[in-house]
Amino acid sequence: MDLGEAFAQMGIIARVTIFMGVVPLGMGIVYAISPSEQRLALMRPLSLAAIFGALSGTMAGVINSLVGMARTQTPVFSPVVAAGLAESLVPVFFGFGCLTVAWLCVAVGLWRKA
């Protein structure tokens, strides 16, 4: 499965939580290019939104995996459930990765501003 197909199969919650990781990344890049106090002040709430979005996306994936497991005749931790739980960690991994790069961009902007 390629990345485009995986994105096409995502639900709306997964897409929103993935998008929320990109928002502070974009703001971090903008701040690195043109640092200002207003952009830095906006970076903090955007980072919190990305953290909460990543956590809620992961929890939604865990919930869906557990509900799928509960709907079987005998609830068993199968390879399908394991794959679902592994996929539910993608929003946290992607979101925190974007936040890492975003705050590195902020550090570059702070360095340029000084």
Side-chain angles (χ1 to χ4, degrees):
M1 178 185 316
D2 65 347
L3 189 59
E5 184 180 342
F7 191 75
Q9 291 184 4
M10 284 182 187
I12 187 72
I13 293 175
R15 288 182 187 176
V16 168
T17 57
I18 293 292
F19 174 71
M20 278 311 302
V22 177
V23 173
L25 176 59
M27 181 55 69
I29 292 169
V30 168
Y31 184 81
I33 294 168
S34 176
S36 71
E37 289 299 319
Q38 188 177 23
R39 289 188 177 112
L40 182 60
L42 188 57
M43 189 65 189
R44 293 178 186 115
L46 288 177
S47 294
L48 282 174
I51 290 169
F52 294 139
L55 291 174
S56 67
T58 296
M59 288 297 99
V62 169
I63 289 167
N64 285 334
S65 296
L66 294 175
V67 166
M69 188 171 102
R71 288 185 177 162
T72 60
Q73 291 294 333
T74 53
V76 179
F77 190 79
S78 66
V80 174
V81 174
L85 290 173
E87 288 176 2
S88 71
L89 296 175
V90 170
V92 163
F93 177 77
F94 183 78
F96 287 162
C98 287
L99 281 171
T100 301
V101 175
W103 280 100
L104 287 173
C105 290
V106 169
V108 168
L110 289 170
W111 175 71
R112 288 185 64 226
K113 190 175 180 181

